[in-house]
Amino acid sequence: MDKLVFAIILVFSLLVAVWSRGGRRHDEIHDYFVASRQFGGLLLFFLAVGETYSLGVLTAFPGGVYLRGLTFCVWFVGYIVLAFPVGYFLGPLIWRAARRYDPVTMADLFARHFSSRSLEIIVAGAAILFMIPWGVIQFMGLTMVLQGLGFDWPAWALMGVAAALAYAYTAISGIRAPAYVSVIKDVLLLAAIFTVGVAAMRLPHGREAMLRGVATAHFTGRDIRIMTTNILFQASGLCMFPSYAASIFTAKDARTVQRAQIAMPLYMVMFAFLIVVAFYARGAFGDGLSPNHVFIDTARQLLSPWLIGLVAGGAALSGLVVLAGTCLVIGPLFTHNLLKSLTERQQKTGAQAIGVVYLLASMAGAAFASSFAATMNNLTYFGMTQFLPGVVVIALNLRAPGAAVAAGILIGDVIPVTLFFSGADTGGVNPGLIGLVANVVILTLMTMRARRNEGGAMRLRSGG
């Protein structure tokens, strides 16, 4: 029964993807990748939520709470809550910048505002590279869901099926398919989380198990530094994901972007139920569960077969929507930004091929990744958040040398990755935040120097 319900959900999602075409042709890249900037508030809301609340919500979050307790709760919930006001103010400004420059990708914004081909290449390359761990997270989660459902296939076969479904969404109708399928995904995701949380609370021993799992939290100074700097860094970076920018590009006006941001915090209610599930699992099962399997394993313990199929369907769509949306971002970054002189038809065809390569690379990463999913999450944020200083300059329509922005991004990327892989002790400070500070300092100093040189040149000309 569980597999039947799961299959029905996936088939229905493909039918919705086909329906989302609406009789349109999608040869024009602006329609295929950014829906001709026609999405209203409802579709933009579901598309943006689909990118924000990915499969990591069901893997990394309950797994982190299961392992680390309240400190992980404070960090994860804190950075998402703080990211909403950032998006509320910055999102409309990004949309207005998009109206000025008519971009297909985030790299277009950098290239056209700073008139720099080199910066365009750096932004596109960094976005592609650091989005691979994001895809790894989705494939890790999808494999867990399918194996938890009882599919005994090899991991590569399960990931291959998931990749084929994600690609099918993109091939059917471009960005419209993930947007429409996100509606189904969100309904099922919320229903799944509420169902498992309520089931845990209704057990005769559920409350006692949760209290055993919570335990008493003692925050050290290092814990507080870790939580604070993680919150500040990742809240600043959530809006920097190229897929988030692409969702903003689809909006028909700035007010639509703002309305979507106002409603997004309503989804935070699901974290209360996820916390209940994680602490219940901690108290009831002890250390016997794999962190990344906490949610699905608890669901299998508490729910009837058809409800397990419902939970698995919502979880799978969460990963598939993100993978499809990311393919629609990665593809044009390569064919539209890294490669030039391609026709629109070649850009679209090439982007679909690059999407396949991205899916395969993410599958390979998931096959060899043995670390906790939050590690992949950190690597993605290290790269994405370094776009923030440049995006602020663009959003406020300020002037700065493209070389200064490029140098800031490169140094900002190198520092946290080096610190992370070397195992250097940063005293509890997020390595990405150290890189971001260096990024801002470099951008500021190089911009001030360029303006001094420009002012000196103007005085020389006027004096002559």
Side-chain angles (χ1 to χ4, degrees):
M1 177 61 73
D2 50 359
K3 294 178 183 178
L4 176 61
V5 172
F6 181 75
I8 290 172
I9 290 171
L10 294 185
V11 171
F12 181 62
S13 73
L14 287 171
L15 294 176
V16 169
V18 172
W19 177 76
S20 72
R21 290 179 62 89
R24 300 178 183 86
R25 290 178 58 84
H26 302 283
D27 296 333
E28 206 270 329
I29 61 172
H30 279 80
D31 189 79
Y32 187 78
F33 293 117
V34 294
S36 300
R37 314 198 198 287
Q38 294 177 351
F39 279 180
L42 190 62
L43 272 181
L44 176 63
F45 170 75
F46 282 111
L47 181 61
V49 164
E51 297 298 335
T52 302
Y53 298 108
S54 70
L55 192 52
V57 169
L58 296 184
T59 55
F61 179 70
V65 175
Y66 178 78
L67 277 180
R68 303 171 190 169
L70 287 176
T71 56
F72 194 89
C73 289
V74 174
W75 158 57
F76 203 103
V77 175
Y79 96 78
I80 292 181
V81 169
L82 187 58
F84 293 135
V86 173
Y88 178 82
F89 291 105
L90 190 58
L93 294 176
I94 293 174
W95 184 90
R96 292 187 178 97
R99 185 175 62 178
R100 291 197 301 271
Y101 298 117
D102 193 29
V104 172
T105 68
M106 178 183 282
D108 285 343
L109 282 181
F110 281 84
R112 294 168 188 175
H113 183 84
F114 298 103
S115 301
S116 173
R117 171 63 176 154
S118 298
L119 181 57
E120 178 182 13
I121 293 172
I122 289 170
V123 171
I128 292 170
L129 178 64
F130 285 100
M131 285 303 288
I132 291 176
W134 192 242
V136 170
I137 294 174
Q138 310 312 316
F139 275 114
M140 288 172 65
L142 285 165
T143 302
M144 294 166 204
V145 168
L146 295 174
Q147 287 178 339
L149 193 60
F151 286 101
D152 296 326
W153 302 352
W156 63 266
L158 295 175
M159 289 190 289
V161 171
L165 287 169
Y167 177 78
Y169 292 151
T170 65
I172 288 170
S173 62
I175 194 64
R176 297 178 191 275
Y180 281 84
V181 174
S182 285
V183 179
I184 308 170
K185 182 270 293 184
D186 287 343
V187 172
L188 292 177
L189 182 66
L190 290 172
I193 293 171
F194 293 161
T195 300
V196 179
V198 170
M201 288 187 288
R202 288 177 60 87
L203 289 173
H205 62 284
R207 183 174 178 274
E208 291 75 12
M210 281 182 279
L211 290 176
R212 287 197 304 272
V214 171
T216 303
H218 297 285
F219 295 159
T220 65
R222 185 184 181 89
D223 290 334
I224 294 172
R225 286 193 298 275
I226 291 172
M227 289 186 293
T228 303
T229 58
N230 282 350
I231 288 171
L232 290 175
F233 178 69
Q234 295 194 199
S236 303
L238 191 59
C239 297
M240 295 300 103
F241 277 59
S243 49
Y244 178 87
S247 69
I248 290 178
F249 296 165
T250 66
K252 62 182 180 182
D253 55 48
R255 182 57 183 161
T256 298
V257 176
Q258 219 160 31
R259 285 198 302 268
Q261 289 294 327
I262 291 171
M264 283 181 71
L266 293 174
Y267 272 71
M268 293 300 294
V269 67
M270 70 181 177
F271 283 98
F273 290 86
L274 284 170
I275 291 169
V276 165
V277 172
F279 281 131
Y280 167 80
R282 203 179 187 195
F285 308 124
D287 299 329
L289 299 180
S290 168
N292 292 327
H293 290 77
V294 165
F295 184 83
I296 194 69
D297 283 353
T298 304
R300 287 183 62 83
Q301 293 285 337
L302 301 180
L303 303 182
S304 59
W306 76 270
L307 281 174
I308 293 172
L310 186 72
V311 170
L317 289 183
S318 299
L320 293 173
V321 164
V322 171
L323 285 171
T326 305
C327 286
L328 290 167
V329 171
I330 295 292
L333 282 170
F334 193 91
T335 61
H336 180 71
N337 296 116
L338 295 184
L339 302 179
K340 292 292 185 181
S341 73
L342 296 180
T343 65
E344 288 198 355
R345 184 177 184 84
Q346 289 172 332
Q347 287 182 38
K348 176 187 170 183
T349 304
Q352 291 175 333
I354 294 301
V356 173
V357 174
Y358 171 75
L359 291 171
L360 292 174
S362 298
M363 286 171 58
F368 293 103
S370 57
S371 58
F372 179 56
T375 299
M376 299 291 105
N377 190 64
N378 288 336
L379 289 174
T380 297
Y381 272 95
F382 287 164
M384 296 300 104
T385 309
Q386 303 308 324
F387 297 143
L388 178 63
V391 168
V392 170
V393 171
I394 295 169
L396 298 178
N397 204 17
L398 303 176
R399 293 178 58 202
V405 179
I409 291 173
L410 290 173
I411 296 299
D413 286 340
V414 169
I415 288 175
V417 171
T418 302
L419 291 173
F420 181 79
F421 283 110
S422 67
D425 185 4
T426 60
V429 177
N430 187 300
L433 186 60
I434 297 173
L436 184 60
V437 170
N439 184 344
V440 172
V441 169
I442 290 169
L443 173 59
T444 303
L445 292 178
M446 290 184 67
T447 300
M448 292 172 62
R449 180 181 178 182
R451 290 180 179 176
R452 282 198 303 269
N453 292 340
E454 182 179 312
M458 290 180 64
R459 285 194 295 271
L460 285 173
R461 285 195 297 269
S462 62

